[in-house]
Amino acid sequence: MSRALRILIAAAVLLGGTVSLFAAESVPLTRGTAITDPDLLRKLDQNDTLTISRLLWPERSANTPLTTDLLFASLPQLKEIQPAIDAEFDRYVARQKAAYPTETIGVGEGFDVQLFDRANLKSPDTRFVLAGIVNRMDRAYVSEEPCGEIRLIYRLARFENRPDGGKTAARLPMTFNLVMKARDARQTDANGKPVTCAEVARRWLDNGDWQGLIGSSSDAMLDRIETNIQISIAPKSALHDFRSDYLLKVFKYNAATKTFEESTLENQIDRDRIVADDALRRDFKAWLLAPDNLRAFDRGTVLIPEKFLAKAALVPTPAGLDASAMQPEFGMMQGEAKGEPVFSDDDVVGALKQAAARGDLQNIRSVAGFQRRLNDVTCAGCHQTRGIGGFHFPGVDWLADKPSNSTIVPASPHFFGDQVRRRDILTAFAAGKRPDFSRGFASRPQTRGSQELAGTEYQDGWGAHCSLQIAGSGTPDRSFTSWSCAKGLTCQAAAASSRIGMCFIKTR
């Protein structure tokens, strides 16, 4: 019997055999696309069904949890992760000291800039707990054979002994995502035939097949690990407003060496390096403005070559809607900063005309639309858009008996607003059709979900992003004309110069 099958049988026993994976799901938008129910996640974690150790170290005894002091030291697959994170911390501290030489920086409330305590990654009192499972078959355009991805999302937590012999548990601001391929091309069904993308999608949509969840747990299914750490908190001071910075890293799995190796982040443009290098600047502009690439950029399916990308992303929050150095593309567009921009307004307008001549563009119809996509196509820009701090999926805190000052919703408005699009793609896969992988801006769901999302904060209800008129023109920007508010609400400016506002109740 395969290890994967043993895992599936154990899960079935745990959940009562035929219980639907989504039976306890309280958020209809995620039905068939994600598992967010805290009670189910607690069972899967405490039964050692989908823990990191079960998936990466199955030979280890499950009698005791794999704490972080053992995780990075005992698993050879993870040996490169902690040194890479340490190096990013050192660079971050050096930059902070250079930018704010009068401020102190360190671990603890006594410092002006309070760092995440890296001792938590070497502690016998901390471990990663399962926070959610997300189907990302909508990313099959990246590589068709594995049919996209399944993400197992873990949250770092600290456990401490109480005087009565029990334990207290508190979540810490770090997520660890184990990204697996949605299917193993070698896997077969009960009839000995290869499992298809359609079959994987149907299993998810039917709410109950464990092999539709993770396929198998072999090395062939491993793709990468993504980490997100709240690296620092800086209270408001005479030098700056309140700010919290998040560090994003990616480690791709190398099947030959059986290790997760530091990698570039998908579409995370290395702004500083591109702006500083004339040749790289010219290459990036020529590549992105080429009609085919610009059309993929418009649809949100562009894959920017690695030579333009960074191996880490720093996500400052809150970043606001006005253009500023906190946004990943700042300085690349005309008028944003001193010096020669990478893209002039004329560059963009001319390229959009050429791309549109080959067919209608879906999202980008103006310079402002191009600038917004240049931000939200990056990891950093996406995390700054309608996120919960620097996270899009923190998961419900199932460790707390009575959650109060803790996360009681599993994910951000951006995450929920995108579920209709993702389910539409799963439905197309299940029917054997070619899915439409395009996506709108991170600020606003695509119109394909307009009926289900109408009147909600995700589409046009209270707090939704909406389109403001261009100052002095009396007309809205063409990239955002469909961003309206529901009846009884009005679009009000959320920033001084932004073309984007928020839907609020009309006031006199």
Side-chain angles (χ1 to χ4, degrees), residues 157-171:
R158 172 175 289 279
F159 297 83
E160 295 180 345
N161 294 321
R162 295 198 306 251
D164 63 3
K167 279 186 176 290
T168 60
R171 302 202 316 170

Side-chain angles (χ1 to χ4, degrees), residues 136-149 429 437:
R136 292 307 307 269
M137 291 179 70
D138 63 292
R139 286 180 42 78
Y141 66 87
V142 177
S143 181
E144 292 190 10
E145 185 177 90
C147 312
E149 307 162 356
F429 265 127
F437 292 110

Side-chain angles (χ1 to χ4, degrees), residues 37 58 149 188 261 293 302 305 338 365 367 381 405 420 474 483 486:
D37 178 65
E149 307 162 356
T188 57
E261 300 174 349
N293 296 332
V302 73
K338 296 179 180 179
R365 297 183 175 91
V367 173
N405 189 28
V420 178
W483 298 20

